Amino acid sequence: MKNFKSLLFAAGLAMVTAPFSFSQEVSQNKVIITGVRFAYPLIDKWIKQYSAENPGSQIVIETRTVTDPEKYDLLIEAYDQEKAVKEGREFISIGRYALLPVANAKSEFAKQYEDKGLIEKTYKQIFFHDIFAEKDESITAPFTVYTRLQKAGAPLTFAKYFGYEQQQIKGKTIAGADEHLIKALLKDETGITYTVPGLAYDLNTRKPTEGIAIIPVDLDGNGKVSKEEKLVGNLDQVIEKLETEKVKNVPVEYINFSIAKNSTNLEAKKFLLWVASHGENDLHQFGYLKPDAKRLQLEKEKLEKFLAVK
């Protein structure tokens, strides 16, 4: 009888501790990702691919709102952080994104500039109302600029490229993420903004998103927009041109993953190394440019050393 009770106790103890052990294992393999929302579709694909190869992993995206979630392991950022932030985090470049000018497809502005395109002085006059910039007297169509309210990668990169700060972009400020600029644009026939290719184009058809006109720009900086520079109807052609030629008037910036230098999350480190080795194949599909090959190799070497630190 005593042995029978001992067996029952042991069985009960196993039932109590087994879920705890399983929960502990899942917790150890859990990785929380947050940050730039326009990158989520790409990151989600990587998570699915990685999880298929590593079934024990549990990697989730927690959507960034006004602030980041209280706890996270990996942060997606689309601009160069301050020195103080870099001292505590390791940054890994995963690709590059471009910023294109877009307008509501029904607007007079879209019709006018789909044909003539934007040159640098027109950019500055429209988006920054720079009183010292050379005036483009040919701007006759009405337009309403939409820009981000919160500090974010896209507006910071856009403004910096033309020599300004984010707060100097003129227009209606929209709270929320980059896709909210597109939603505002689609509701206003005078609307114009800047955005990433993944939002400007339909990723399935590779054509401009319905209701949006991509505005051609002066890519070689000669002060006019050629017939070849007006070919913006296909995403893959645009990506090829941005990757293979030295272009002007299109801001391009790296998108990064960052992780705390003192992180003990081994699964997060393993996922980063997997992305560095496999992620490049998916960049074009989602509208991103590939990183510089030498830079990518250095990133892989840095990650391998980082992974070795438990």
Side-chain angles (χ1 to χ4, degrees):
M1 185 69 179
K2 185 177 181 181
N3 289 338
F4 180 68
K5 288 182 178 180
S6 298
L7 286 171
L8 284 176
F9 176 77
L13 182 63
M15 291 176 67
V16 171
T17 58
F20 173 75
S21 300
F22 175 75
S23 175
Q24 193 174 38
E25 182 181 347
V26 169
S27 177
Q28 289 175 347
N29 293 333
K30 186 171 183 178
V31 180
I32 298 174
I33 300 175
T34 193
V36 179
R37 289 177 60 167
F38 67 70
Y40 289 177
L42 171 64
I43 306 303
D44 185 59
K45 181 170 184 180
W46 285 343
I47 290 172
K48 289 175 181 176
Q49 291 175 335
Y50 178 82
S51 299
E53 297 176 21
N54 301 271
S57 65
Q58 186 185 5
I59 305 178
V60 297
I61 296 174
E62 289 200 7
T63 303
R64 167 185 276 178
T65 53
V66 177
T67 59
D68 293 319
E70 185 177 344
K71 292 183 180 180
Y72 58 85
D73 301 291
L74 301 177
L75 186 64
I76 319 160
E77 282 297 355
Y79 64 94
D80 195 26
Q81 285 282 3
E82 294 82 1
K83 183 179 178 180
V85 177
K86 288 183 177 180
E87 289 177 353
R89 299 188 70 80
E90 194 74 53
F91 285 79
I92 298 96
S93 304
I94 57 177
R96 295 179 295 152
Y97 68 96
L99 290 170
L100 306 174
V102 296
N104 185 298
K106 295 181 180 180
S107 72
E108 292 179 34
F109 183 92
K111 292 182 177 67
Q112 184 175 353
Y113 284 92
E114 272 182 315
D115 180 57
K116 63 188 297 185
L118 295 179
I119 60 177
E120 185 177 357
K121 68 177 182 180
T122 315
Y123 255 125
K124 291 182 176 180
Q125 191 170 339
I126 289 171
F127 285 98
F128 302 98
H129 299 187
D130 190 338
I131 61 172
F132 299 106
E134 184 181 355
K135 297 301 180 185
D136 185 348
E137 302 294 345
S138 66
I139 301 176
T140 57
F143 63 87
T144 304
V145 170
Y146 286 90
T147 187
R148 292 282 302 275
L149 174 62
Q150 295 92 352
K151 179 181 179 181
L156 281 169
T157 297
F158 183 79
K160 181 181 178 181
Y161 179 88
F162 291 103
Y164 301 90
E165 302 290 335
Q166 177 180 341
Q167 60 268 27
Q168 292 177 292
I169 302 175
K170 305 300 182 182
K172 291 186 176 181
T173 54
I174 302 296
D178 296 275
E179 55 261 35
H180 293 107
L181 290 183
I182 299 300
K183 290 179 180 179
L185 184 81
L186 292 172
K187 293 178 181 178
D188 183 353
E189 292 188 3
T190 68
I192 63 172
T193 190
Y194 50 87
T195 195
V196 295
L199 293 174
Y201 289 86
D202 183 313
L203 295 179
N204 294 315
T205 66
R206 316 305 277 178
K207 297 179 180 179
T209 300
E210 185 176 357
I212 288 179
I214 316 295
I215 307 299
V217 301
D218 174 21
L219 296 176
D220 59 12
N222 68 350
K224 58 184 179 180
V225 180
S226 68
K227 184 182 294 184
E228 291 182 353
E229 289 170 334
K230 294 176 185 178
L231 299 177
V232 293
N234 180 274
L235 175 56
D236 296 306
Q237 290 179 351
V238 172
I239 290 173
E240 182 180 6
K241 185 175 288 290
L242 293 176
E243 277 193 338
T244 59
E245 300 178 15
K246 286 188 175 181
V247 302
K248 296 183 179 180
N249 297 315
V250 176
V252 175
E253 183 58 271
Y254 274 87
I255 188 164
N256 310 293
F257 263 133
S258 74
I259 183 171
K261 289 185 177 180
N262 61 356
S263 174
T264 58
N265 191 323
L266 183 60
E267 196 68 38
K269 296 180 182 181
K270 287 170 60 179
F271 177 68
L272 285 181
L273 185 58
W274 184 94
V275 167
S277 301
H278 299 81
E280 188 176 3
N281 297 329
D282 299 308
L283 292 174
H284 286 178
Q285 179 187 347
F286 290 89
Y288 294 92
L289 312 181
K290 292 183 179 182
D292 176 77
K294 291 182 179 179
R295 178 166 176 160
L296 180 61
Q297 182 57 39
L298 290 174
E299 298 288 3
K300 289 180 182 178
E301 293 172 4
K302 181 172 63 174
L303 275 172
E304 287 167 355
K305 293 179 182 178
F306 187 53
L307 184 62
V309 180
K310 305 299 182 182

PDB file of all heavy atoms in Angstrom, residues 55 86 93 162 215 231 306:
ATOM      1  N   PRO A  55      11.610  24.060 -35.004  1.00  0.00           N
ATOM      2  CA  PRO A  55      10.236  23.947 -34.459  1.00  0.00           C
ATOM      3  C   PRO A  55      10.109  24.331 -32.987  1.00  0.00           C
ATOM      4  O   PRO A  55       9.034  24.722 -32.545  1.00  0.00           O
ATOM      5  CB  PRO A  55       9.901  22.455 -34.654  1.00  0.00           C
ATOM      6  CG  PRO A  55      10.841  21.978 -35.703  1.00  0.00           C
ATOM      7  CD  PRO A  55      12.091  22.783 -35.548  1.00  0.00           C
ATOM      8  N   LYS A  86      23.778  53.299 -29.107  1.00  0.00           N
ATOM      9  CA  LYS A  86      24.679  52.315 -29.711  1.00  0.00           C
ATOM     10  C   LYS A  86      25.596  51.660 -28.686  1.00  0.00           C
ATOM     11  O   LYS A  86      26.026  50.523 -28.876  1.00  0.00           O
ATOM     12  CB  LYS A  86      25.532  52.993 -30.793  1.00  0.00           C
ATOM     13  CG  LYS A  86      24.770  53.347 -32.053  1.00  0.00           C
ATOM     14  CD  LYS A  86      25.707  53.953 -33.086  1.00  0.00           C
ATOM     15  CE  LYS A  86      24.983  54.237 -34.384  1.00  0.00           C
ATOM     16  NZ  LYS A  86      25.886  54.834 -35.401  1.00  0.00           N
ATOM     17  N   SER A  93      22.777  45.218 -39.792  1.00  0.00           N
ATOM     18  CA  SER A  93      22.062  45.693 -40.978  1.00  0.00           C
ATOM     19  C   SER A  93      21.452  44.505 -41.721  1.00  0.00           C
ATOM     20  O   SER A  93      22.135  43.512 -41.970  1.00  0.00           O
ATOM     21  CB  SER A  93      23.014  46.438 -41.912  1.00  0.00           C
ATOM     22  OG  SER A  93      23.645  47.493 -41.232  1.00  0.00           O
ATOM     23  N   PHE A 162      17.826  65.658 -47.670  1.00  0.00           N
ATOM     24  CA  PHE A 162      17.742  66.963 -48.323  1.00  0.00           C
ATOM     25  C   PHE A 162      18.318  68.090 -47.467  1.00  0.00           C
ATOM     26  O   PHE A 162      18.210  69.270 -47.815  1.00  0.00           O
ATOM     27  CB  PHE A 162      16.292  67.267 -48.696  1.00  0.00           C
ATOM     28  CG  PHE A 162      15.768  66.382 -49.789  1.00  0.00           C
ATOM     29  CD1 PHE A 162      14.911  65.330 -49.502  1.00  0.00           C
ATOM     30  CD2 PHE A 162      16.149  66.577 -51.105  1.00  0.00           C
ATOM     31  CE1 PHE A 162      14.432  64.497 -50.506  1.00  0.00           C
ATOM     32  CE2 PHE A 162      15.679  65.757 -52.122  1.00  0.00           C
ATOM     33  CZ  PHE A 162      14.822  64.709 -51.828  1.00  0.00           C
ATOM     34  N   ILE A 215       5.653  59.255 -58.303  1.00  0.00           N
ATOM     35  CA  ILE A 215       6.168  60.425 -59.006  1.00  0.00           C
ATOM     36  C   ILE A 215       7.616  60.166 -59.426  1.00  0.00           C
ATOM     37  O   ILE A 215       8.470  59.896 -58.584  1.00  0.00           O
ATOM     38  CB  ILE A 215       6.098  61.684 -58.122  1.00  0.00           C
ATOM     39  CG1 ILE A 215       4.682  61.876 -57.559  1.00  0.00           C
ATOM     40  CG2 ILE A 215       6.550  62.904 -58.912  1.00  0.00           C
ATOM     41  CD1 ILE A 215       3.615  62.061 -58.605  1.00  0.00           C
ATOM     42  N   LEU A 231      10.138  55.706 -65.934  1.00  0.00           N
ATOM     43  CA  LEU A 231       9.675  54.316 -65.913  1.00  0.00           C
ATOM     44  C   LEU A 231       9.589  53.833 -64.467  1.00  0.00           C
ATOM     45  O   LEU A 231      10.521  53.236 -63.924  1.00  0.00           O
ATOM     46  CB  LEU A 231      10.626  53.436 -66.723  1.00  0.00           C
ATOM     47  CG  LEU A 231      10.755  53.785 -68.213  1.00  0.00           C
ATOM     48  CD1 LEU A 231      11.781  52.883 -68.890  1.00  0.00           C
ATOM     49  CD2 LEU A 231       9.401  53.667 -68.908  1.00  0.00           C
ATOM     50  N   PHE A 306      29.342  37.346 -31.663  1.00  0.00           N
ATOM     51  CA  PHE A 306      28.335  37.705 -30.665  1.00  0.00           C
ATOM     52  C   PHE A 306      27.603  36.464 -30.181  1.00  0.00           C
ATOM     53  O   PHE A 306      27.271  36.336 -28.998  1.00  0.00           O
ATOM     54  CB  PHE A 306      27.358  38.714 -31.274  1.00  0.00           C
ATOM     55  CG  PHE A 306      26.382  39.288 -30.296  1.00  0.00           C
ATOM     56  CD1 PHE A 306      26.809  39.871 -29.116  1.00  0.00           C
ATOM     57  CD2 PHE A 306      25.016  39.274 -30.563  1.00  0.00           C
ATOM     58  CE1 PHE A 306      25.900  40.423 -28.222  1.00  0.00           C
ATOM     59  CE2 PHE A 306      24.115  39.802 -29.690  1.00  0.00           C
ATOM     60  CZ  PHE A 306      24.552  40.388 -28.503  1.00  0.00           C
TER      61      PHE A 306
END
